[in-house]
Amino acid sequence: MKPPRPDGTRAVTMRQVAEAAKVSISTVSLVINNKVGARIGDDARRRVQQAIEELGYRPNALAKDLVSGRSRFIGLVADAIATTPFAGQIIHGAQDEAWRHGFVLLVANTEGNEDAEREALAMMLEHKVRGILYSTWYHRQVDLPTGLTEADCVLVNCFSTADVPAVVPDEETGGHDATTMLIEQGHRRIGFLNTTTPSPAHDGRLAGYRRALAEAAIDFDPDLVIDVQPDQEGGYAAVPALLRLGVSGVFCHNDRVAMGLYDGVREAGVAVPADLAVVGFDNQEVIAAHLRPPLSTVALPHYELGQAGVRVLLGLDEVGDDGRLTVACPPVPRGSVAGLRPGVIAEPSPGAAR
């Protein structure tokens, strides 16, 4: 005969399991915690396991964690990635990788509020998380928040001068591959709309652009690099200068700049890609895939950054000698790049402004 179930509005206790199995509470505890060397008869163990199943008893995971000093939680503290559509993939990647290794992700989105960061970190430390990922929605250097290094920690999409491992996108190779997409289609006079904002993306993508030109034996022309606001207005405003310079292809710092460029060249009667090939960066799906023609671009690997952060935290991947693991930014070819069309803004016109 099955023992009576307790009131369904309350959690089942270890005492109720002991009473149902007709054993002591200590015996139930030994069975639940699978205590090595415990002298428990097979019949008593069977009765405890049967009572646990029938009563629906759930062990207090937090209490077990406090005893063992370990938990199955990984913390993630972020500034704004949960509210930034494409950067939110960092959470998705970290969550999937954590789950794959038997962990659950605890996420705190702080919007950059220092008080919220401190409270989130304190809560995670109280829960004895396995470690903490600290992430930003764009790639940058950060100051470590107070309390972060009290647990194992990894920086994701950011880095610090402190001795903390970081997982970051490979900006330089991304810039190289974006420029190479244009070079492979015969373009040699290639403009680069970079950002006015000092950042690893500004420096890395420019370095990649220059490396791709050098590998193709194309002289670097600083006049073809124009720093613009990293948004649609920046791309739109750069169109007159690009047309005067006679470029046949343009690498844009991000997809929003490319969107503005599309608007400007359309108004000027220049067709993409027949008259001007365009490559962006970021692969913001809501932009890149829905422009006409769809924008060739380079993806920021947010999902993979989240995955790699968890793997570094768990010791499954290693950072380099510089304390960083760089994640590739894969090219995403679409319809905005075509072969060079001779005679159409391929070379500067006589007397063009330089």
Side-chain angles (χ1 to χ4, degrees), residues 103-187:
F103 290 88
V104 174
L105 196 69
L106 296 179
V107 180
N109 191 66
T110 66
E111 299 294 337
N113 183 295
E114 292 183 4
D115 290 337
E117 282 185 350
R118 281 194 295 270
E119 291 178 11
L121 288 168
M123 177 271 292
M124 291 175 181
L125 293 170
E126 286 173 4
H127 280 75
K128 296 187 177 292
V129 292
R130 169 61 182 80
I132 300 173
L133 307 180
Y134 182 80
S135 183
T136 55
W137 78 271
Y138 72 93
H139 183 191
R140 61 187 175 92
Q141 182 173 320
V142 297
D143 295 323
L144 299 184
T146 303
L148 179 64
T149 55
E150 291 182 33
D152 292 342
C153 57
V154 175
L155 303 177
V156 178
N157 205 32
C158 56
F159 60 95
S160 170
T161 56
D163 186 21
V164 174
V167 176
V168 296
D170 190 345
E171 304 280 8
E172 180 176 338
T173 302
H176 170 276
D177 292 349
T179 309
T180 298
M181 276 196 272
L182 295 163
I183 293 171
E184 288 178 343
Q185 291 297 318
H187 298 277

Side-chain angles (χ1 to χ4, degrees), residues 177-178 181-182 184-185 278-280 283 288-289 293-299 330-337:
D177 292 349
M181 276 196 272
L182 295 163
E184 288 178 343
Q185 291 297 318
V278 181
V279 176
N283 194 32
L295 178 65
S296 296
T297 187
V298 172
V332 184
R334 294 193 179 98
S336 64
V337 175

Side-chain angles (χ1 to χ4, degrees), residues 14-68:
M14 194 181 296
R15 178 180 295 279
Q16 289 168 316
V17 173
E19 291 174 351
K22 296 182 172 54
V23 298
S24 67
I25 294 176
S26 61
T27 297
V28 174
S29 177
L30 292 171
V31 172
I32 290 171
N33 291 292
N34 199 24
K35 191 71 172 179
V36 177
R39 295 185 176 183
I40 305 172
D42 291 342
D43 183 60
R45 186 181 296 275
R46 178 189 57 77
R47 293 201 310 273
V48 170
Q49 291 170 340
Q50 182 178 351
I52 288 172
E53 182 179 347
E54 292 181 345
L55 294 175
Y57 173 74
R58 293 182 182 277
N60 186 327
L62 181 57
K64 291 176 68 177
D65 293 342
L66 291 172
V67 171
S68 67

Side-chain angles (χ1 to χ4, degrees), residues 86-346:
F86 70 109
Q89 285 295 310
I90 290 176
I91 294 176
H92 190 187
Q95 182 173 269
D96 285 352
E97 191 67 20
W99 185 255
R100 188 173 293 117
H101 299 287
F103 290 88
V104 174
L105 196 69
L106 296 179
V107 180
N109 191 66
T110 66
E111 299 294 337
N113 183 295
E114 292 183 4
D115 290 337
E117 282 185 350
R118 281 194 295 270
E119 291 178 11
L121 288 168
M123 177 271 292
M124 291 175 181
L125 293 170
E126 286 173 4
H127 280 75
K128 296 187 177 292
V129 292
R130 169 61 182 80
I132 300 173
L133 307 180
Y134 182 80
S135 183
T136 55
W137 78 271
Y138 72 93
H139 183 191
R140 61 187 175 92
Q141 182 173 320
V142 297
D143 295 323
L144 299 184
T146 303
L148 179 64
T149 55
E150 291 182 33
D152 292 342
C153 57
V154 175
L155 303 177
V156 178
N157 205 32
C158 56
F159 60 95
S160 170
T161 56
D163 186 21
V164 174
V167 176
V168 296
D170 190 345
E171 304 280 8
E172 180 176 338
T173 302
H176 170 276
D177 292 349
T179 309
T180 298
M181 276 196 272
L182 295 163
I183 293 171
E184 288 178 343
Q185 291 297 318
H187 298 277
R188 296 184 65 80
R189 192 161 181 79
I190 299 169
F192 177 32
L193 298 184
N194 205 357
T195 177
T196 54
T197 306
S199 64
H202 173 283
D203 298 343
R205 295 174 197 182
L206 176 59
Y209 166 80
R210 296 189 64 165
R211 178 158 63 91
L213 295 179
E215 289 175 357
I218 301 172
D219 290 337
F220 171 69
D221 183 349
D223 289 342
L224 300 185
V225 179
I226 304 172
D227 286 353
V228 301
Q229 291 296 321
D231 53 24
Q232 288 174 256
E233 293 303 317
Y236 181 86
V239 169
L242 289 171
L243 297 183
R244 286 196 304 271
L245 289 166
V247 299
S248 66
V250 182
F251 165 34
C252 298
H253 175 79
N254 64 32
D255 296 344
R256 289 176 295 155
V257 170
M259 182 189 299
L261 178 68
Y262 266 48
D263 292 339
V265 297
R266 186 180 298 111
E267 290 180 6
V270 174
V272 176
D275 301 330
L276 182 68
V278 181
V279 176
F281 205 109
D282 289 351
N283 194 32
Q284 293 191 42
E285 285 285 340
V286 69
I287 297 174
H290 299 288
L291 290 174
R292 292 294 178 266
L295 178 65
S296 296
T297 187
V298 172
L300 274 177
H302 289 106
Y303 183 88
E304 290 78 9
L305 287 169
Q307 286 184 305
V310 171
R311 293 184 61 82
V312 170
L313 184 69
L314 297 179
L316 302 172
D317 287 343
E318 294 184 358
V319 297
D321 293 339
D322 61 355
R324 302 181 195 181
L325 173 66
T326 55
V327 179
C329 301
V332 184
R334 294 193 179 98
S336 64
V337 175
L340 181 64
R341 181 176 166 186
V344 180
I345 63 170

